[in-house]
């Protein structure tokens, strides 16, 4: 934090005028995690609202991923300095200008007020502290909690949701899709679909994954999310946005088995994306407690009919499925079309 103090003036969102450069505070109502634009820059779309009940959508660009606002969920509070206001198709919007800078704060009442920023130097005063507290109080009564953030035990088929989880393993499937094995300490209401990875190399602790097999799910991510998935470190804590569930049925010996598929489709519609959460994040703190208290020994979905004899692994040691049910075998995976 800088040692000097500068008095900044913040403009309420209902007083913005095109062609001006302003400083604003707001509560995040919608956002897209930073993604590569068609050019060389990263882009993030953030819609904010303040006590005036006016919304402002901001299109933010930077050559540096970390220079964009570090937002983890709707309800976070942001401070933007030197935001350019323009009118496009009769809609007021904000865009980055020279010297643009941002701070992000957790929006939860009572949480520590710790600015998130990649900048080593920034100005934060007692007035800023009061501004964050005031927005938190306002948001607690004027904005409903995010209904999209769910645990695995609560998900249903044909649903889009955000998931906080830990990465246990990852593997390349093909150029357009990538496998992530994750868990959040709870069990899905249906057996989780397993990706056949006989010919792939799974990065991760196979014995640990096997130990947690009743609690893990396989997620296939597609297209523009593949390069992000490749860079993830096993063991890291993630938030995956707009994850899609589908119920897959398979018939075998006149029996029908249902399994739940998890897909992160290509594109950025509806805020699709992946973000790594720091261990200091309050949601990660809760996740760790859930993981520590998870029941690793209970059988999952014991009423599922086995399709064949248990087959835990192929000769190359890659884990395929829990012993109580057979994995869905697919020698080639077709990228799911975005919904």
């Amino acid at each position: 934090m800088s040692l000097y103090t500068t008095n900044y003036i913040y403009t309420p969102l209902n007083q913005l005028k095109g062609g001006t450069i302003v400083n604003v505070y707001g509560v995040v109502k919608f956002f897209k995690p930073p993604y590569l634009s068609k050019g060389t820059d990263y882009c993030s779309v953030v819609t904010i609202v303040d006590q005036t009940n006016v919304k402002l959508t901001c299109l933010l660009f930077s050559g540096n991923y970390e220079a964009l606002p570090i937002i983890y969920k709707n309800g976070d509070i942001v401070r933007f300095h030197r935001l350019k206001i323009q009118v496009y198709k009769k809609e007021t919007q904000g865009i980055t200008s020279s010297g643009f800078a941002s701070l992000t704060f957790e929006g939860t009442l009572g949480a520590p007020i710790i600015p998130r920023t990649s900048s080593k130097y920034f100005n934060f005063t007692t007035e800023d502290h009061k501004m964050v507290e005031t927005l938190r109080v306002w948001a607690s009564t004027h904005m409903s909690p995010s209904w999209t953030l769910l645990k695995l035990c609560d998900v249903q088929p044909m649903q889009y949701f955000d998931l906080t989880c830990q990465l246990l393993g990852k593997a390349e499937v093909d150029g357009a899709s990538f496998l992530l094995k994750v868990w959040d300490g709870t069990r899905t209401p249906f057996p989780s679909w397993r990706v056949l990875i006989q010919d792939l190399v799974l990065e991760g602790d196979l014995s640990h994954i096997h130990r947690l097999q009743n609690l893990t799910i396989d997620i296939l991510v597609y297209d523009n999310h593949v390069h992000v998935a490749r860079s993830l470190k096993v063991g890291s804590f993630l938030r995956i946005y707009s994850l899609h569930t589908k119920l897959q049925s398979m018939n075998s010996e006149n029996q029908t088995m249902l399994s739940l598929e998890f897909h992160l489709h290509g594109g950025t519609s509806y805020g699709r994306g992946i973000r790594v959460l720091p261990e200091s994040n309050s949601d990660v703190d809760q996740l760790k407690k859930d993981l520590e208290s998870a029941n690793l020994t209970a059988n999952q979905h014991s009423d599922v009919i086995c399709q064949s004899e248990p087959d835990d692994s192929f000769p190359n040691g890659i884990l395929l499925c829990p012993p109580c049910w057979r994995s869905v075998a697919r020698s080639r995976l077709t990228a799911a079309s975005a919904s």
Side-chain angles (χ1 to χ4, degrees):
M1 187 181 297
S2 61
L3 300 178
Y4 60 88
T5 301
T6 302
N7 291 322
Y8 289 94
I9 297 174
Y10 294 94
T11 305
L13 299 185
N14 67 342
Q15 296 179 18
L16 300 176
K17 295 180 180 179
T20 60
I21 295 178
V22 299
N23 308 310
V24 297
Y25 263 98
V27 183
V28 176
K29 193 173 181 67
F30 170 81
F31 72 101
K32 292 183 180 183
Y35 60 91
L36 274 174
S37 65
K38 293 181 180 179
T40 58
D41 283 351
Y42 287 94
C43 176
S44 183
V45 179
V46 184
T47 298
I48 60 175
V49 65
D50 68 1
Q51 298 96 322
T52 67
N53 277 319
V54 169
K55 292 189 297 184
L56 176 70
T57 295
C58 305
L59 309 177
L60 310 175
F61 295 88
S62 176
N64 178 10
Y65 179 96
E66 297 299 334
L68 292 171
I70 306 171
I71 299 169
Y72 297 137
K73 64 181 178 182
N74 292 335
D76 280 354
I77 293 169
V78 293
R79 187 189 82 176
F80 294 158
H81 279 180
R82 294 170 290 278
L83 181 72
K84 184 177 180 180
I85 304 301
Q86 66 179 19
V87 178
Y88 179 72
K89 293 185 178 180
K90 298 182 180 181
E91 293 288 336
T92 301
Q93 61 181 214
I95 60 171
T96 42
S97 68
S98 178
F100 172 83
S102 70
L103 297 181
T104 310
F105 307 87
E106 189 164 346
T108 307
L109 279 173
I113 297 181
I114 303 173
R116 301 178 205 147
T117 178
S118 62
S119 175
K120 295 180 180 178
Y121 303 100
F122 59 90
N123 190 68
F124 190 72
T125 66
T126 54
E127 288 302 314
D128 287 290
H129 195 284
K130 291 178 183 177
M131 185 76 81
V132 173
E133 284 286 20
T134 300
L135 275 171
R136 281 178 170 181
V137 172
W138 176 81
S140 69
T141 57
H142 289 79
M143 294 183 65
S144 57
S146 175
W147 57 268
T148 59
L149 190 58
L150 297 177
K151 292 184 177 181
L152 290 176
C153 59
D154 296 323
V155 300
Q156 295 296 319
M158 300 306 294
Q159 187 174 37
Y160 290 89
F161 69 103
D162 301 340
L163 176 68
T164 306
C165 57
Q166 184 181 35
L167 180 63
L168 294 175
K170 63 179 187 176
E172 190 92 33
V173 177
D174 54 36
S177 59
F178 201 90
L179 168 66
L180 300 178
K181 281 185 175 287
V182 306
W183 74 314
D184 74 351
T186 69
R187 290 174 173 79
T188 58
F190 296 92
S192 174
W193 171 62
R194 300 301 182 193
V195 178
L196 181 62
I197 49 177
Q198 180 179 8
D199 300 319
L200 307 178
V201 177
L202 182 69
E203 180 182 339
D205 185 336
L206 294 180
S207 62
H208 186 50
I209 293 172
H210 183 74
R211 208 161 43 241
L212 302 177
Q213 61 186 352
N214 286 343
L215 297 171
T216 63
I217 65 166
D218 285 7
I219 300 173
L220 276 179
V221 305
Y222 300 98
D223 303 334
N224 56 299
H225 306 297
V226 170
H227 78 280
V228 177
R230 282 198 194 101
S231 68
L232 298 174
K233 293 182 179 179
V234 171
S236 59
F237 300 99
L238 310 176
R239 178 150 299 139
I240 304 176
Y241 302 96
S242 199
L243 191 58
H244 185 206
T245 56
K246 295 196 299 185
L247 202 59
Q248 175 77 18
S249 63
M250 290 188 63
N251 295 318
S252 176
E253 298 177 358
N254 298 321
Q255 298 286 344
T256 299
M257 186 190 78
L258 298 176
S259 61
L260 202 58
E261 299 182 3
F262 294 84
H263 301 274
L264 181 65
H265 300 304
T268 62
S269 298
Y270 310 105
R272 291 186 196 116
I274 305 172
R275 186 118 208 189
V276 177
L277 300 178
E279 296 206 22
S280 59
N281 183 272
S282 62
D283 290 336
V284 169
D285 187 56
Q286 181 59 51
L287 174 62
K288 286 181 178 179
K289 293 176 182 177
D290 293 340
L291 300 184
E292 289 171 1
S293 62
N295 184 353
L296 308 184
T297 58
N299 291 327
Q300 182 186 27
H301 312 300
S302 57
D303 57 338
V304 174
I305 303 299
C306 294
Q307 285 193 292
S308 64
E309 292 297 316
D311 184 1
D312 291 349
S313 62
F314 276 85
N316 61 4
I318 300 302
L319 181 70
L320 288 181
C321 60
C324 64
W325 62 284
R326 182 75 167 138
S327 65
V328 177
R330 293 186 177 182
S331 58
R332 291 188 58 83
L333 294 161
T334 304
S337 57
S339 302

